[in-house]
């Protein structure tokens, strides 16, 4: 790791512009922006620490918001309430110190690399916990065990940092602390845990992220009581995570169409493919959650069908529905040595038609043809008729009636 160059902070025009927009108050830049700039990485998230309470920070917050032509609003609860100003290119949070002094604020943070403070606008860089040395040696070190204990989401953040910063290794004592505290992660607020997991799933070295979650004993502890953890599967398929990137994925078009659903599906498969309703508390976007859950549930069927005849592949498209791109992208990452392109071309050519085929018969017509009343049996009949249509076994209304009569005993059994 290179030696930290503080001059990068001195030369940063964005920081000076933000400070001037606040009205040039006494304040310090903290957290990820300091870390990333010193590591030569780009960042658009600024955390600023100002003296006083929330009301004292109102004026600087509103001045900066006006400068950026944005709004300033309060987030969080109790002592964790902050002012946030957000644009399409920049997010700024203003944290009131309250009754704390700067050293106390530094010592309550998660990792030393996030506990560096830059006095705006020209320094100095304040380091009370050895953060500069840890940046230079590539060491992820917790400030205190108590800080991890107080916020279990920070345990998952450690795995995310290891995936995000491939040159970093975790300090052994910190790793031991996390393993001892791992049972607490299951009691972390689901919404915040979901946010941290989504950040982890977007890093470039996802395999290292999953491996860290396993090694630190976290992945199995996050499973809610209604689901089960499949440690054997995730251990055997960690290589799939390394293929969840456009440059390494067997079908880039499917991965792009799936959005974030394919890597999320891998997490859900490790959790035993829970029902989408069991995931609502994580506050993931509904479509993303549904597509990922369906892709996880369809993994085995996708893997056994990829080399099957076209009719069988059409059925999987129909059953997977709009989640099919996620199902294909996930399955292709797990077992890349198949002709996934053929299946993808089938989806591109006929996907909408196969997911929602135009009915050959109405429900009433199916009821009349089979002589059954509305109910579960009729619903099953409509479904099997639709799948026969998707397979290409029937193409007309007359053919559908004949098919129903031939199969009536099997359908209504």
């Amino acid at each position: 790791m290179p030696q930290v160059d503080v001059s990068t902070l001195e030369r940063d025009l964005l920081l000076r512009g933000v400070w001037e927009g606040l009205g040039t108050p006494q304040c310090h830049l903290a957290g990820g922006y300091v870390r990333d700039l010193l590591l030569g990485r780009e960042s658009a998230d600024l955390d600023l620490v100002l003296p006083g309470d929330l009301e004292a920070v109102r004026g600087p917050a509103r001045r900066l918001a006006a400068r950026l032509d944005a709004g300033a609003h309060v987030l969080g609860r109790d002592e964790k309430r902050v002012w946030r100003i957000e644009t399409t290119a920049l997010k700024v949070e203003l944290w009131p110190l309250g009754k704390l002094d700067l050293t106390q604020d530094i010592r309550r943070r998660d990792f030393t690399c996030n506990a560096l403070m830059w006095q705006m606008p020209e320094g100095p860089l304040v380091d009370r916990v050895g953060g500069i040395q840890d940046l230079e040696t590539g060491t992820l070190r917790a400030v205190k065990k108590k800080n991890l204990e107080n916020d279990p989401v920070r345990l998952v953040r450690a795995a995310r940092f290891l995936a995000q910063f491939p040159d970093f290794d975790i300090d052994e004592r910190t790793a031991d602390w996390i393993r001892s505290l791992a049972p607490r992660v299951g009691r972390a607020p689901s919404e915040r845990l979901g946010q941290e997991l989504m950040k982890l799933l977007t890093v470039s070295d996802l395999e290292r992220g999953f491996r860290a979650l396993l090694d630190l004993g976290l992945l199995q502890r996050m499973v809610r009581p209604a689901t089960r953890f499949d440690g054997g599967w995730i251990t055997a398929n960690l290589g799939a995570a390394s293929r969840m990137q456009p440059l390494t994925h067997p079908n880039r078009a499917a991965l792009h169409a799936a959005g974030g659903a394919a890597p999320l599906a891998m997490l859900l498969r490790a959790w035993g493919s829970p029902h989408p309703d069991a995931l609502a508390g994580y506050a993931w976007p509904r479509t993303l959650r549904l597509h990922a859950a369906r892709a996880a549930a369809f993994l085995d069927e996708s893997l056994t069908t990829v080399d099957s005849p076209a009719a069988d592949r059409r059925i999987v498209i129909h059953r997977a529905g709009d989640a099919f791109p996620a199902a294909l992208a996930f399955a292709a990452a797990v077992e890349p040595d198949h002709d996934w392109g053929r299946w993808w071309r089938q989806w591109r050519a006929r996907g909408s038609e196969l997911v929602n085929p135009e009915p050959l018969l109405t429900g009433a017509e199916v009821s009349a043809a089979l002589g059954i009343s509305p109910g579960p049996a009729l619903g099953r009949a409509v479904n099997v008729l639709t799948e026969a249509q998707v397979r290409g076994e029937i193409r007309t209304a007359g053919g559908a009636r004949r098919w129903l009569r031939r199969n009536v005993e099997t359908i209504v059994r």
Side-chain angles (χ1 to χ4, degrees):
M1 298 288 290
Q3 188 173 8
V4 167
D5 181 6
V6 176
S7 67
T8 57
L9 292 162
E10 296 172 349
R11 297 191 304 267
D12 193 295
L13 297 180
L14 174 63
L15 292 183
R16 182 170 290 276
V18 167
W19 179 69
E20 291 173 352
L22 292 168
T24 65
Q26 176 187 350
C27 67
H28 286 80
L29 176 71
Y33 194 92
V34 178
R35 177 201 66 220
D36 288 347
L37 215 63
L38 294 175
L39 289 174
R41 300 168 61 94
E42 293 184 358
S43 179
D45 293 351
L46 279 72
D47 292 332
L48 298 169
V49 177
L50 287 81
D53 58 13
L54 192 74
E55 184 60 31
V57 180
R58 179 189 298 271
R62 289 187 168 177
R63 283 192 289 273
L64 180 61
R67 176 83 166 257
L68 297 175
D69 193 23
H73 55 280
V74 176
L75 296 176
R77 298 178 181 176
D78 303 325
E79 73 279 0
K80 293 184 178 180
R81 291 198 299 167
V82 303
W83 287 96
R84 176 179 288 182
I85 303 137
E86 196 163 4
T87 70
T88 56
L90 185 66
K91 183 177 75 177
V92 182
E93 289 187 349
L94 308 180
W95 291 77
L97 269 175
K99 297 179 180 180
L100 301 177
D101 61 31
L102 191 65
T103 297
Q104 289 172 321
D105 184 60
I106 289 172
R107 294 190 181 280
R108 69 174 178 170
R109 294 180 178 268
D110 50 11
F111 303 100
T112 59
C113 62
N114 294 333
L116 297 168
M117 295 278 192
W118 175 252
Q119 183 171 318
M120 300 277 277
E122 297 178 345
L125 182 62
V126 182
D127 180 10
R128 301 277 194 267
V129 292
I132 293 176
Q133 181 180 351
D134 286 342
L135 278 184
E136 292 179 339
T137 60
T139 303
L140 184 67
R141 187 191 312 274
V143 174
K144 290 189 296 186
K145 182 179 181 179
K146 189 70 174 179
N147 297 358
L148 302 178
E149 188 176 336
N150 289 340
D151 186 359
V153 175
R154 289 174 167 177
L155 306 176
V156 179
R157 191 173 301 156
R160 194 245 296 180
F161 284 155
L162 290 173
Q164 188 174 346
F165 304 114
D167 294 330
F168 272 62
D169 292 311
I170 193 166
D171 163 65
E172 191 53 46
R173 185 170 69 164
T174 298
D176 288 342
W177 287 346
I178 293 174
R179 292 187 186 103
S180 69
L181 295 171
R184 293 175 177 265
V185 79
R187 302 196 296 269
S190 295
E191 183 174 355
R192 290 189 58 231
L193 194 58
Q195 292 171 351
E196 191 61 50
L197 286 169
M198 285 308 301
K199 291 178 181 178
L200 187 150
L201 294 173
T202 61
V203 300
S204 57
D205 196 349
L206 181 57
E207 180 177 355
R208 194 179 194 219
F210 273 112
R211 195 175 298 279
L213 288 174
L214 280 169
D215 291 345
L216 296 172
L218 298 171
L219 191 59
Q220 54 270 48
R221 300 289 187 173
M222 287 186 282
V223 182
R224 298 315 192 201
T227 63
R228 67 189 189 281
F229 176 65
D230 194 343
W233 181 87
I234 186 64
T235 301
N237 290 279
L238 279 172
S242 67
R243 293 184 283 272
M244 291 287 186
Q245 298 292 328
L247 294 179
T248 54
H249 194 272
N251 193 301
R252 299 178 187 179
L255 184 68
H256 177 74
L264 180 56
M266 185 167 182
L267 174 68
L268 300 185
R269 180 60 182 80
W271 284 357
S273 301
H275 190 276
D277 291 348
L279 305 169
Y282 293 98
W284 294 321
R286 184 174 182 276
T287 298
L288 178 70
R289 169 168 50 94
L290 294 177
H291 285 188
R294 186 165 285 262
F298 267 80
L299 177 62
D300 293 341
E301 190 170 355
S302 298
L303 294 175
T304 57
T305 308
V306 59
D307 298 320
S308 298
D312 294 335
R313 287 184 276 115
R314 289 197 295 268
I315 286 296
V316 174
I317 291 176
H318 172 70
R319 292 175 179 171
D322 292 337
F324 178 75
L328 187 146
F330 177 35
V334 173
E335 291 188 8
D337 296 329
H338 295 281
D339 187 1
W340 296 103
R342 177 179 61 173
W343 209 353
W344 180 250
R345 290 190 294 273
Q346 193 176 25
W347 161 262
R348 291 292 300 272
R350 299 185 59 192
S352 298
E353 169 196 342
L354 296 173
V355 171
N356 296 300
E358 187 70 28
L360 296 173
L361 299 176
T362 65
E365 290 171 327
V366 174
S367 176
L370 295 176
I372 57 176
S373 302
L378 179 59
R380 289 194 299 272
V382 171
N383 288 339
V384 296
L385 179 66
T386 301
E387 291 198 352
Q389 179 183 347
V390 169
R391 285 193 183 93
E393 297 174 11
I394 51 177
R395 293 180 173 82
T396 65
R401 291 188 178 91
R402 290 190 294 273
W403 188 91
L404 287 171
R405 287 194 291 270
R406 287 197 305 272
N407 294 279
V408 60
E409 294 184 3
T410 302
I411 294 171
V412 301
R413 189 186 319 178

